[in-house]
Amino acid sequence: MNVIHIKALAKINLGLDVTGTREDGYHLVRMIMQTIDLFDWVTIRKSRYNKISLTTNLNFLPTDEHNIAYKAAALLKQDFPQIGGVELRIHKCIPVAAGMAGGSTNAAAVLFGMNKIYHLGISQRRLMEYALTLGADVPYCLMRGTALAEGIGEKLTRLLPMPDCYILVAKPPVSVSTKLVYQALDACGELEHPPIDAQLDDLKRQDLCALCAHMGNVLEQVTVPMHPEITRIKQLMQEHGAITAMMSGSGPTVFGIFSEEGQAVAAKGYIRTSGLARQVYVTRPFNVKNKQINEDQ
Ligand code: ATP
């Protein structure tokens, strides 16, 4: 096999709480992660030139070691000299700097795909360790599905899948730096914390309405005052049938949960017309069945 095409899937957070700070400054989190069926295509091709090359469809993204997918390839190449040349092609659809783990999921796809096409024989556990050196969300992007993420995001517990529904994703045309949001959070006083334990119970009972009622993201308290359009998009989604709407990760992407596809599609139209967001997608939860990563060869 000389080439592999991998769907690198995005995530949303059904719940996101920050519970403290580690001595090294990293934030301790409790997050309910959900993979969604919105993805970038990552193509990995063996090449005869002994180097890593990367191209993407977005001209503002780095194509050198500043791209986290490139870093993932360099990490494996350093430990496995037999790798030789690697060509990476990333076709991005996941909004960038949006709280959807776009970079992390590209890195996870590269780790998974290179292990496969170069027959490196790296165990799942070791792959998770490589993933964590690249970023706190990368191990989850390898695991995928519905999971509780604790620690700095690396302690993962698989949960029952989120009940099926339609998810409307809308990214306003502003970029948010995850690092700055967490820094600003430290300067906040009393925070309102979302009920993550209640959400865990809701998932056990497969109760979508209760899960939605308990959704909350502590980071909204930082990002929303900076970008009030987030509130406007949430309101629009709820006015047009969303059971609930919330910001994902550090934002600014907003997602709404719908039980009816037709309502989600109609709400998408209203949001586009409002001009509040240009990147708007109707998608669904992705649930892991047998395969670790969905691939198309
Ligand atoms: P998270 O939810 O993990 O915080 P995010 O969606 O907020 O991620 P990314 O889309 O991963 O953020 O992008 C954050 C920054 O990383 C961007 O400014 C971008 O230039 C840089 N970057 C590096 N590699 C990639 C990549 N492969 N895809 C997207 N962004 C990348």
Side-chain angles (χ1 to χ4, degrees):
M1 192 200 297
N2 285 323
V3 60
I4 188 168
H5 304 285
I6 297 173
K7 282 183 181 179
L9 293 140
K11 63 87 182 159
I12 53 172
N13 299 93
L14 303 179
L16 194 163
D17 196 13
V18 178
T19 55
T21 316
R22 249 176 23 178
E23 273 174 16
D24 57 8
Y26 276 95
H27 288 84
L28 296 167
V29 293
R30 286 191 91 211
M31 309 189 285
I32 308 229
M33 317 288 281
Q34 177 61 53
T35 309
I36 57 171
D37 199 12
L38 174 68
F39 53 86
D40 299 335
W41 276 112
V42 174
T43 302
I44 306 167
R45 195 181 298 274
K46 289 182 186 171
S47 113
R48 47 198 164 97
Y49 307 105
N50 187 21
K51 61 175 185 128
I52 301 166
S53 67
L54 188 152
T55 53
T56 107
N57 58 321
L58 299 182
N59 60 12
F60 58 86
L61 280 185
T63 54
D64 57 8
E65 64 282 357
H66 295 102
N67 193 304
I68 187 170
Y70 185 110
K71 271 191 206 157
L75 191 63
L76 293 186
K77 190 164 155 50
Q78 172 190 302
D79 285 1
F80 297 87
Q82 73 266 36
I83 284 177
V86 192
E87 270 176 37
L88 303 175
R89 168 84 194 154
I90 303 178
H91 186 92
K92 299 268 336 160
C93 295
I94 303 171
V96 175
M100 305 193 78
S104 302
T105 192
N106 292 170
V110 168
L111 292 179
F112 173 86
M114 285 182 64
N115 191 27
K116 195 145 184 182
I117 59 167
Y118 293 98
H119 306 288
L120 303 178
I122 307 171
S123 67
Q124 185 61 20
R125 191 173 155 191
R126 184 79 188 102
L127 220 48
M128 289 295 222
E129 287 167 4
Y130 277 118
L132 185 56
T133 65
L134 293 163
D137 280 348
V138 185
Y140 166 72
C141 292
L142 265 178
M143 177 184 184
R144 313 197 309 173
T146 311
L148 171 68
E150 295 173 293
I152 61 164
E154 86 293 9
K155 289 186 189 147
L156 297 169
T157 310
R158 174 141 346 260
L159 303 172
L160 281 182
M162 175 187 196
D164 204 14
C165 58
Y166 296 88
I167 301 172
L168 179 61
V169 171
K171 152 94 177 23
V174 289
S175 293
V176 166
S177 154
T178 305
K179 199 172 157 195
L180 291 184
V181 169
Y182 275 97
Q183 275 171 3
L185 188 80
D186 293 336
C188 286
E190 259 320 286
L191 289 166
E192 207 177 304
H193 292 274
I196 301 292
D197 287 326
Q199 285 197 303
L200 294 175
D201 281 344
D202 302 333
L203 278 168
K204 269 191 206 146
R205 288 184 285 104
Q206 292 287 285
D207 184 340
L208 181 64
C209 284
L211 182 69
C212 288
H214 290 133
M215 276 186 196
N217 179 348
V218 77
L219 300 181
E220 282 192 352
Q221 291 161 79
V222 175
T223 312
V224 170
M226 293 193 258
H227 301 291
E229 58 269 50
I230 292 171
T231 306
R232 202 50 215 113
I233 297 174
K234 284 172 63 171
Q235 282 167 348
L236 262 182
M237 287 190 185
Q238 282 173 311
E239 281 162 23
H240 293 96
I243 307 171
T244 193
M246 198 178 86
M247 184 182 87
S248 181
S250 49
T253 302
V254 176
F255 65 90
I257 306 289
F258 293 78
S259 50
E260 303 292 331
E261 183 176 17
Q263 282 186 321
V265 172
K268 174 181 164 180
Y270 287 114
I271 288 172
R272 279 252 173 86
T273 314
S274 74
L276 288 165
R278 264 175 265 140
Q279 290 176 283
V280 193
Y281 309 95
V282 176
T283 179
R284 296 178 91 158
F286 171 90
N287 290 317
V288 177
K289 291 178 191 104
N290 303 318
K291 280 197 165 189
Q292 194 70 27
I293 294 242
N294 213 22
E295 62 194 80
D296 238 35
Q297 290 161 37

